[in-house]
Amino acid sequence: MKHFSLQKYGGISRYFANLHSGLNNSGHQSTITALYSENEYVKHEPFLFNNSIGHKLFRGDQKKIYAWSRRYSRWNINRGNFDVFHPTFDDPYFIKHLKKPCVVTIHDMVHELYPQYIGNASQVIPRKKAVMEKADAIIAISEFTRQDIIKVYPHMAGKIQVVHHGYWGLSNKAEFNPTLPARYILYVGERWHYKNFSIFVDGISTILQQDKSLNLICAGGGAYNTNELQHFEKLNIAAQCGQMNVTDDVLQQLYAQAILFAFPSLHEGFGLPLLEAFANQCPIICSNSSCLPEIAADAAIYFNPYEPEDIKGAIELILSNLSLQQELKQKGTERLSDFTMEACIQNTVRVYESVV
């Protein structure tokens, strides 16, 4: 519910929106307890204030949207007119009121394992633990994430079940953006700390220096900060590094036209951009760490994320080998078939049934 209040786009809100839709389309009944939302994935839901009145009351005020929806959710919890409660966030507001079974999805354990990199880790960790303790079952979105949970909370091992994400698509049609460079490498998402962006830039820099027709495009994550801009200038690649805040439609086009997609992260819970790249026939290079090999299998070229030269080598391998590009596209299409939304829904329902 909080992600629907605070996010316009985002992987977690999209996960829950499609879970909600998939459940209702497969003979089950799902309700999102929100009063109003500006989230793109649920903006057409028949929430009580998803209308002109709600627009006047709440427009752009995320804190107000969440506060009101939180009260509304608590009211519905007290009514108890449901079989299973599945919170969308680590806010434990519901714990004292909930009398029905609870299932929680854990997307990663970054706060617990890398608190030095996350500014609000000290606030998030106890909230998240409280929600996990309350849960009758925990969904881990990868086997890697399941193992991470056990590493931190071994006593919770018995109630963890793995349910991989299903791919639900970005949009029906990619938007055309004539301003995109002809040749570019794509990076998607945040660029902080464990995302390993700085070392990735070191790895790609020599290639960009030698080929001025090649560019790096970063989708999302906000505008480049001062340190990033200075880093580009120092490496003499600033003119080749663009950043775009994009809709899902434009993101689809970015994947489809990129020479390759690079995912240098040190730690991920699932790595949803891998599925997005697969779906849009975009060759992938990624870290050989965390969950990424579990999800990408043989449909990506792997590198040591701590070694810029290894990153450089992976990029050069794809740039110089058209047959490898085609092979990765084909393997990506095949791998995507292992992550259907139908399977995600069915496996989630099994988790619900296990606690009822």
Side-chain angles (χ1 to χ4, degrees), residues 1-8 12-13 16 39 88-89:
M1 182 262 292
K2 185 168 184 177
H3 284 94
F4 295 129
S5 301
L6 303 183
Q7 286 186 337
K8 186 170 184 180
I12 294 178
S13 59
F16 279 107
N39 183 278
T88 66
F89 197 63

Side-chain angles (χ1 to χ4, degrees), residues 246-302:
V246 298
T247 64
D248 280 356
D249 294 334
V250 174
L251 183 58
Q252 181 180 355
Q253 185 196 6
L254 286 172
Y255 280 117
Q257 294 181 203
I259 296 175
L260 63 89
F261 163 63
F263 205 176
S265 182
L266 301 176
H267 193 102
E268 293 292 326
F270 181 87
L272 183 61
L274 295 174
L275 303 191
E276 296 170 348
F278 289 157
N280 289 284
Q281 297 279 289
C282 184
I284 294 170
I285 65 166
C286 65
S287 301
N288 59 7
S289 60
S290 72
C291 69
L292 301 185
E294 175 187 344
I295 306 306
D298 66 347
I301 300 298
Y302 296 96

Side-chain angles (χ1 to χ4, degrees), residues 50-299:
N50 260 12
N51 49 41
S52 58
I53 296 174
H55 195 62
K56 290 179 181 178
L57 281 172
F58 298 110
R59 183 181 180 182
D61 192 340
Q62 294 178 332
K63 289 184 179 179
K64 186 176 182 181
I65 294 169
Y66 181 57
W68 281 51
S69 287
R70 193 170 181 260
R71 295 189 191 100
Y72 180 62
S73 181
R74 190 184 293 118
W75 177 76
N76 277 282
I77 290 167
N78 284 323
R79 289 178 64 208
N81 189 25
F82 56 91
D83 297 309
V84 179
F85 180 65
H86 194 161
T88 66
F89 197 63
D90 54 33
D91 185 342
Y93 72 95
F94 62 87
I95 287 179
K96 293 180 181 179
H97 306 271
L98 185 64
K99 308 301 180 185
K100 294 291 184 73
C102 175
V103 172
V104 61
T105 297
I106 298 301
H107 302 273
D108 60 57
M109 295 295 285
V110 173
H111 291 84
E112 292 82 359
L113 295 173
Y114 297 95
Q116 68 273 28
Y117 295 145
I118 312 294
N120 64 343
S122 61
Q123 290 80 44
V124 170
I125 292 171
R127 294 201 311 257
K128 188 172 166 185
K129 182 183 179 184
V131 171
M132 293 168 71
E133 294 281 8
K134 176 66 175 178
D136 298 278
I138 295 171
I139 291 175
I141 60 174
S142 64
E143 175 59 27
F144 176 82
T145 296
R146 187 181 81 86
Q147 294 296 334
D148 268 358
I149 297 170
I150 294 171
K151 195 181 302 179
V152 179
Y153 303 121
H155 66 286
M156 296 188 188
K159 61 181 180 180
I160 306 171
Q161 300 184 51
V162 175
V163 178
H164 284 140
H165 280 319
Y167 180 70
W168 43 75
L170 287 171
S171 66
N172 294 322
K173 183 179 180 182
E175 290 183 4
F176 176 68
N177 186 335
T179 64
L180 291 179
R183 301 175 65 244
Y184 62 89
I185 291 167
L186 179 64
Y187 176 100
V188 174
E190 303 292 347
R191 302 183 299 274
W192 55 47
H193 305 299
Y194 69 90
K195 295 294 185 177
N196 202 37
F197 183 69
S198 180
I199 291 180
F200 168 67
V201 170
D202 289 338
I204 197 176
S205 61
T206 304
I207 299 172
L208 294 181
Q209 290 164 6
Q210 294 172 350
D211 185 352
K212 293 300 181 182
S213 71
L214 185 63
N215 294 266
L216 169 65
I217 292 184
C218 292
Y224 291 134
N225 62 40
T226 300
N227 289 337
E228 289 169 334
L229 292 173
Q230 289 175 347
H231 194 187
F232 299 152
E233 290 289 350
K234 182 180 178 181
L235 295 170
N236 195 30
I237 59 172
Q240 294 163 267
C241 298
Q243 189 277 331
M244 301 172 63
N245 293 321
V246 298
T247 64
D248 280 356
D249 294 334
V250 174
L251 183 58
Q252 181 180 355
Q253 185 196 6
L254 286 172
Y255 280 117
Q257 294 181 203
I259 296 175
L260 63 89
F261 163 63
F263 205 176
S265 182
L266 301 176
H267 193 102
E268 293 292 326
F270 181 87
L272 183 61
L274 295 174
L275 303 191
E276 296 170 348
F278 289 157
N280 289 284
Q281 297 279 289
C282 184
I284 294 170
I285 65 166
C286 65
S287 301
N288 59 7
S289 60
S290 72
C291 69
L292 301 185
E294 175 187 344
I295 306 306
D298 66 347

